[in-house]
Amino acid sequence: MIDRKKRHFLIKLILTLTLICIIFFPFVLVNPGERGVLMKFGEVQEKILPEGLHLVIPLVNTVHKLTIRVQKQEISAEASSKDLQEVYTDVALNWHIIPEEANLIFQEIGDEMQVVDKIINPAVEEILKAVMAKYTAEEIITKRGEVKSKVDDLLIIRLKNYHVTVDDISLVKIHFSEVFTDAVEAKEIAKQEAKRAEFIALKAVKEAEAKVNLAKGEAEAQRLIKETLTSDIIRKQAIEKWDGVLPKIMNGGELKFDVSKYIN
């Protein structure tokens, strides 16, 4: 009998406390960086609760809080280039829910995790595939800025339709299959070797041309000397270089003066 009275007392106490909470605490606190989605009997209302303390009707209204702060999502996606090379891309996406559309995103999609799973990840993968298919593997490397710009533009438009703003997107890493990477490396090595061979060949040609020009110059100089060398000039050079010693060669009383040794 006593246990039954205690049980009834506890039940009444719990009901009383619940009633007090319902009557005296009909408030909800929306923290900084959040928005409150107000619902009436489970139906999403147009009114969005900003940061602060809000009065709600217990049992009638419920509030679901969504963060509007910038969030980071890292995604790895696989695509194919225009020349059918496999492209692996690591993407870092910064995004946030549009505050004025928090009720719509909750009504149409759900909470933040559902937004990531249902909207953001599929959108990034699809857009990367569409963009990469327009470029060859080599162009994806050499035109990385252009590729990123196209991904940015398409993703901004796509996510805006789902009440999400893109703050920044980074193509952290773009890499290819090992086979393609090895082929690119071999191609670059071949290019370097070809340039080196071309340089050596050009150097040899220049050296040969220099020697030919030098020989032509010397031949032209000798020709000019022969054309301008007169008997008077020869005698003058011989006299200028004569050491004063008379020649000792006599032939029939005629003095033989060999001037060739005094000529340059």
Side-chain angles (χ1 to χ4, degrees), residues 126-146:
E126 183 179 342
I127 287 172
L128 281 174
K129 288 179 179 179
V131 173
M132 297 301 180
K134 296 180 180 179
Y135 296 89
T136 64
E138 185 175 352
E139 288 173 338
I140 291 172
I141 297 173
T142 58
K143 299 180 180 180
R144 182 166 179 157
E146 182 179 324

Side-chain angles (χ1 to χ4, degrees), residues 26-203:
F27 300 99
V28 64
L29 178 64
V30 179
N31 297 313
E34 293 181 338
R35 290 294 183 270
V37 178
L38 182 64
M39 290 175 282
K40 182 178 180 181
F41 296 117
E43 181 183 359
V44 175
Q45 304 297 297
E46 291 185 5
K47 182 180 180 180
I48 299 173
L49 303 182
E51 300 170 5
L53 191 65
H54 301 276
L55 178 66
V56 295
I57 303 173
L59 301 180
V60 176
N61 295 131
T62 53
V63 177
H64 185 90
K65 301 174 187 177
L66 292 176
T67 181
I68 59 170
R69 290 176 176 171
V70 175
Q71 301 184 67
K72 182 179 180 180
Q73 180 66 18
E74 295 181 347
I75 307 162
S76 294
E78 181 180 345
S80 295
S81 64
K82 188 176 181 179
D83 51 351
L84 302 180
Q85 296 296 332
E86 294 298 322
V87 187
Y88 304 92
T89 310
D90 296 332
V91 179
L93 175 67
N94 290 337
W95 63 278
H96 71 270
I97 293 173
I98 299 174
E100 298 79 12
E101 300 176 14
N103 57 340
L104 296 176
I105 199 168
F106 183 73
Q107 185 179 41
E108 297 172 5
I109 303 166
D111 58 18
E112 296 91 339
M113 186 174 294
Q114 290 173 310
V115 171
V116 171
D117 292 339
K118 295 180 180 180
I119 303 301
I120 292 179
N121 287 349
V124 171
E125 292 176 3
E126 183 179 342
I127 287 172
L128 281 174
K129 288 179 179 179
V131 173
M132 297 301 180
K134 296 180 180 179
Y135 296 89
T136 64
E138 185 175 352
E139 288 173 338
I140 291 172
I141 297 173
T142 58
K143 299 180 180 180
R144 182 166 179 157
E146 182 179 324
V147 172
K148 179 185 179 301
S149 179
K150 288 196 174 184
V151 172
D152 285 351
D153 294 342
L154 292 174
L155 196 58
I156 288 171
I157 295 172
R158 172 70 66 85
L159 294 185
K160 188 176 181 182
N161 294 330
Y162 294 100
H163 322 294
V164 171
T165 293
V166 174
D167 297 288
D168 182 55
I169 182 170
S170 300
L171 304 183
V172 179
K173 185 179 181 181
I174 299 177
H175 51 108
F176 303 87
S177 65
E178 291 184 5
V179 174
F180 178 77
T181 303
D182 293 342
V184 171
E185 185 177 353
K187 183 178 179 181
E188 288 301 317
I189 292 174
K191 282 184 179 180
Q192 295 299 323
E193 290 179 349
K195 287 183 179 180
R196 183 172 178 273
E198 183 181 351
F199 172 77
I200 293 173
L202 182 61
K203 183 180 178 182

Side-chain angles (χ1 to χ4, degrees), residues 246-259:
L246 293 172
K248 297 179 180 180
I249 300 174
M250 301 292 293
N251 185 11
E254 182 181 354
L255 180 64
K256 296 294 182 179
F257 193 85
D258 186 8
V259 299

Side-chain angles (χ1 to χ4, degrees), residues 207-251:
E207 289 177 351
E209 289 179 352
K211 289 181 180 179
V212 170
N213 291 334
L214 179 62
K216 288 181 178 180
E218 290 177 351
E220 181 66 15
Q222 291 296 330
R223 186 184 67 79
L224 292 174
I225 289 173
K226 288 181 180 179
E227 289 180 355
T228 57
L229 196 63
T230 62
S231 57
D232 293 336
I233 292 176
I234 293 174
R235 290 193 189 93
K236 184 175 180 298
Q237 288 182 353
I239 293 171
E240 290 175 348
K241 292 191 176 183
W242 183 42
D243 55 7
V245 178
L246 293 172
K248 297 179 180 180
I249 300 174
M250 301 292 293
N251 185 11

Side-chain angles (χ1 to χ4, degrees), residues 7-32:
R7 192 182 299 112
H8 285 305
F9 173 77
L10 288 174
I11 293 173
K12 288 180 181 180
L13 180 61
I14 293 171
L15 291 174
T16 302
L17 291 175
T18 303
L19 184 61
I20 291 172
C21 290
I22 292 173
I23 296 174
F24 294 100
F25 298 96
F27 300 99
V28 64
L29 178 64
V30 179
N31 297 313

